[in-house]
Amino acid sequence: MIYPLELPRARRPLYRDYGGKSGLIQTQQDARKGSRLGKLWHFMLPYLKDYAAESSVHGIRYLADPKMRNYLNIRVIWLLILVTTSIGAIVVYVDLNELYQTVRIQTTIKNTMLPIFRIPFPSIGLCPRNRLNWKMLENEAVDHFLGANVSAAQKDLFVKFFTAAGDPHLSRLNEMSNFFRNKTLTDELHMLDHLDLREVYKFIQFRCQDLFHTCRWRGNPVNCCEVIEYQFTEAGLCFVFNTEISPESRQKAKEDKYYPLRTPQYGEGSGLDLFVRLNRSFIRPGKRGINVMIKQPQQWSDVVRHVPHEAHTRISVTPRFTVTDERTRTVTPEVRRCIFGDEVDNPHYKNFPDFEYWFGNCRSRCHQEHVLNLCKCSPSIFFPVSDKDNFTACRASDFKCLYDNRFTFSIERHPEEDDFVKNPFKESMICDCFTSCTQLVFDRVFTTTTLDNNETDTEAGTMRLDIFYQSGWLIQYQTTMRFTFVELLASFGGIIGLFLGASLLSAFELAYYFSIGLYLYIHGKRKLKKPEPRVLTIPFGQRKITPIKF
């Protein structure tokens, strides 16, 4: 018989502080820590094995398969396979997510053969450089606006001011230099502040019948004055064809489904073909030719190009049409670089009241804001007048401020321009306008030749303009989301299915096992540690003995 004290004792570990108190404490702490971790591991191990056996993620069950208990190498191989495929899934997903966050918008060709009659014919603005009737300016206009008893000084001021501003344009105010160099005329300009400049320009402008000789639309003769109307632009008062700016033209567009006008034909003579003739006695030196503006019917203004007299000018137009998918509204206008017409609360939205949003209207509104900021008024001969704006209209004396800031108003720059172009101008208008999400742009090519002998009138300044489509079809572009959230989710599901053979239900299963399932497992284990006492009832004659067994 052997007593327990006679058994050999375990040897203490080497290199330990046996004599000190700290060594004993450290030994006790390590024993407790190991004991706690071991208990936790033995407590959780059955639950983890149960998850591995029932998990829908492929490969995990081999880590807890009882058949693999004696094959440790096979378990290690499956563990390495799971780790490798998990890392691969993470790498591919990170790359896909980066692509989703950075390149979210793409523009592709939707239709290469869209018929041109699907879009309206461009609006044609004709702004003669010699647009004022000088005889009317020096006689009837003075009596009409200043009265019959006007002084000679005031009459001279009236004539000289409107002569200097006879060919107005916001970017060419330097043409009024001769007038503003005269200090006497400049100081007396306030005497014309009571005049409505719009009404004066309408009064002294050449009439339609004085300027246009013949007009043809799609090869058919039309009355020029019925298809052309007055319209103020940034180039002053112009004659505009196929416009939708004035209240009359807007009402016409609502009532007539064929307005604005369209054409299915292309080539010379298939669009707008017109003759312009003006008696030479009305032409002032240095004021010859016409500034032509090609824009959209709902657009206020655009850049102009000078077309000379005694010439036949052909302008071929090639439209570019871009539409934007509604799903791109999920990203900001800064990302897609366009604005929908109803996004009026966006800081980049600039537009005139009751106007359809176009890139050109945004630029004109930006120009107006710069004028308001520098001169505290809006020139009514350059910009639309609306009661919703509540702006002060510029008077005659305010043109001195416009002239003093003429260099600022003559140059427009983009905010990102300084990163690519060296800017020699210190003063300019900075406009960061986004295009419309439904964008229509007209590319034009000007070709000028001499007039035929039978087309020239020696008594009149003659020119011919022929504006037409270059082709009968146009290219339609479409801007869409390159990756939507649904597509990203589908791609992620494909990645997880490819690398791990899992699905969305696998993720819910994992979340359940380590939340609700784990709670139920721990709660059930605690109940097993403290079982309820069982009551046994044993019949004994007429009495019942009820012992309690623990």
Side-chain angles (χ1 to χ4, degrees):
M1 183 175 63
I2 299 176
Y3 291 95
L5 295 178
E6 295 178 347
L7 295 173
R9 298 181 179 180
R11 185 178 180 181
R12 297 183 183 182
L14 298 177
Y15 308 106
R16 181 67 63 87
D17 185 8
Y18 301 107
K21 185 177 181 181
S22 61
L24 179 60
I25 294 174
Q26 182 67 30
T27 303
Q28 294 175 351
Q29 291 178 351
D30 291 345
R32 292 174 183 174
K33 185 176 181 181
S35 177
R36 291 175 182 175
L37 292 177
K39 290 181 180 180
L40 179 62
W41 171 252
H42 287 295
F43 179 78
M44 293 296 299
L45 184 59
Y47 186 74
L48 294 176
K49 287 183 177 180
D50 182 62
Y51 169 74
E54 299 181 4
S55 174
S56 59
V57 179
H58 294 202
I60 293 183
R61 65 185 181 88
Y62 294 107
L63 301 178
D65 191 351
K67 299 178 181 179
M68 300 292 179
R69 181 177 301 175
N70 299 325
Y71 300 96
L72 180 61
N73 294 336
I74 296 179
R75 290 187 177 185
V76 172
I77 291 174
W78 274 108
L79 179 62
L80 293 177
I81 291 174
L82 287 173
V83 172
T84 303
T85 54
S86 300
I87 294 175
I90 293 173
V91 171
V92 175
Y93 172 73
V94 169
D95 183 67
L96 182 65
N97 184 66
E98 183 180 359
L99 183 64
Y100 170 76
Q101 296 294 340
T102 55
V103 188
R104 304 190 65 182
I105 301 295
Q106 64 178 359
T107 300
T108 57
I109 295 177
K110 182 179 180 180
N111 191 348
T112 60
M113 299 290 288
L114 184 69
I116 55 173
F117 58 77
R118 294 289 186 89
I119 61 172
F121 193 79
S123 179
I124 311 299
L126 305 172
C127 312
R129 298 209 61 198
N130 191 89
R131 71 186 76 179
L132 301 184
N133 190 328
W134 307 103
K135 295 181 179 180
M136 184 173 291
L137 171 64
E138 296 173 354
N139 298 286
E140 290 90 342
V142 174
D143 296 337
H144 181 78
F145 291 100
L146 300 181
N149 299 324
V150 64
S151 63
Q154 193 172 4
K155 178 180 178 180
D156 182 67
L157 177 65
F158 179 86
V159 173
K160 288 183 177 180
F161 173 75
F162 285 101
T163 299
D167 181 25
H169 197 289
L170 184 64
S171 62
R172 294 200 309 267
L173 294 173
N174 59 325
E175 296 182 1
M176 301 182 68
S177 299
N178 292 333
F179 179 86
F180 285 107
R181 286 173 184 170
N182 191 325
K183 191 175 183 305
T184 302
L185 295 176
T186 304
D187 295 339
E188 295 177 350
L189 198 54
H190 66 276
M191 300 171 62
L192 304 179
D193 285 347
H194 65 284
L195 298 176
D196 186 343
L197 299 182
R198 276 199 166 202
E199 296 300 324
V200 176
Y201 273 97
K202 290 179 182 179
F203 190 86
I204 61 179
Q205 178 104 353
F206 279 115
R207 301 294 179 263
C208 173
Q209 55 271 19
D210 298 331
L211 193 63
F212 297 100
H213 186 260
T214 58
C215 297
R216 290 179 178 271
W217 167 245
R218 297 176 56 188
N220 300 315
V222 293
N223 188 337
C224 298
C225 300
E226 291 181 357
V227 297
I228 295 176
E229 63 179 63
Y230 289 116
Q231 179 190 321
F232 283 97
T233 66
E234 290 189 44
L237 185 58
C238 302
F239 299 93
V240 184
F241 167 80
N242 203 33
T243 181
E244 198 179 337
I245 297 297
S246 64
E248 295 78 12
S249 60
R250 292 185 180 184
Q251 185 63 30
K252 183 178 180 180
K254 293 179 180 179
E255 298 174 352
D256 187 356
K257 69 176 183 178
Y258 299 114
Y259 190 86
L261 301 175
R262 305 173 184 232
T263 177
Q265 303 169 345
Y266 62 97
E268 295 185 19
S270 61
L272 179 65
D273 187 5
L274 51 86
F275 274 91
V276 179
R277 289 184 177 180
L278 183 63
N279 194 294
R280 294 184 184 276
S281 61
F282 294 109
I283 300 177
R284 291 294 181 95
K287 297 290 184 180
R288 305 191 66 184
I290 289 181
N291 292 324
V292 179
M293 179 187 304
I294 299 178
K295 59 186 183 69
Q296 300 165 27
Q298 302 89 2
Q299 185 176 341
W300 174 256
S301 186
D302 207 338
V303 296
V304 296
R305 168 135 181 202
H306 181 260
V307 174
H309 264 101
E310 275 98 25
H312 182 183
T313 301
R314 301 170 181 85
I315 306 175
S316 61
V317 179
T318 303
R320 287 186 287 117
F321 188 45
T322 304
V323 295
T324 304
D325 189 74
E326 286 289 329
R327 292 189 297 177
T328 59
R329 289 180 180 269
T330 56
V331 299
T332 62
E334 290 78 9
V335 175
R336 64 175 181 262
R337 299 300 298 178
C338 75
I339 288 184
F340 287 96
D342 55 358
E343 294 179 323
V344 295
D345 296 328
N346 189 275
H348 290 87
Y349 184 91
K350 298 180 185 296
N351 198 12
F352 298 115
D354 302 326
F355 274 66
E356 186 174 349
Y357 183 87
W358 293 104
F359 176 73
N361 289 339
C362 178
R363 291 179 61 245
S364 297
R365 182 66 168 189
C366 178
H367 299 167
Q368 185 186 36
E369 291 179 353
H370 279 84
V371 175
L372 287 167
N373 184 44
L374 294 175
C375 297
K376 312 303 179 186
C377 66
S378 175
S380 59
I381 63 172
F382 297 140
F383 303 108
V385 177
S386 175
D387 296 335
K388 297 181 180 180
D389 282 334
N390 197 23
F391 294 151
T392 301
C394 290
R395 299 171 297 180
S397 59
D398 294 323
F399 270 71
K400 179 63 169 62
C401 176
L402 299 177
Y403 174 77
D404 292 339
N405 296 280
R406 61 191 181 278
F407 296 113
T408 301
F409 302 146
S410 63
I411 301 171
E412 178 189 343
R413 293 192 300 115
H414 193 274
E416 300 176 2
E417 187 176 316
D418 292 336
D419 298 335
F420 304 93
V421 181
K422 183 178 180 180
N423 180 28
F425 308 102
K426 296 181 179 180
E427 301 174 347
S428 58
M429 297 184 294
I430 299 178
C431 295
D432 187 12
C433 284
F434 290 168
T435 61
S436 172
C437 288
T438 302
Q439 179 184 351
L440 180 60
V441 178
F442 295 105
D443 298 326
R444 47 263 195 187
V445 177
F446 289 73
T447 304
T448 302
T449 59
T450 57
L451 284 172
D452 296 336
N453 293 330
N454 57 352
E455 296 177 335
T456 305
D457 188 350
T458 57
E459 297 298 327
T462 306
M463 65 184 307
R464 182 180 178 183
L465 287 174
D466 188 4
I467 303 102
F468 54 89
Y469 280 132
Q470 177 68 28
S471 173
W473 300 271
L474 63 104
I475 299 178
Q476 181 183 10
Y477 300 91
Q478 182 179 24
T479 300
T480 57
M481 295 288 295
R482 183 170 184 175
F483 281 108
T484 63
F485 178 76
V486 175
E487 293 170 337
L488 177 66
L489 188 63
S491 300
F492 176 70
I495 293 171
I496 296 300
L498 175 65
F499 284 90
L500 300 176
S503 64
L504 185 61
L505 290 178
S506 303
F508 285 113
E509 178 186 84
L510 180 64
Y512 170 80
Y513 259 90
F514 288 95
S515 58
I516 300 176
L518 184 60
Y519 171 77
L520 295 176
Y521 174 76
I522 295 174
H523 190 67
K525 283 287 187 179
R526 288 179 178 177
K527 285 186 176 182
L528 290 176
K529 289 182 179 179
K530 296 181 180 180
E532 294 292 334
R534 294 183 298 170
V535 179
L536 298 178
T537 304
I538 302 175
F540 186 77
Q542 295 181 353
R543 297 178 58 188
K544 292 184 178 180
I545 301 174
T546 306
I548 299 176
K549 183 179 180 179
F550 290 91

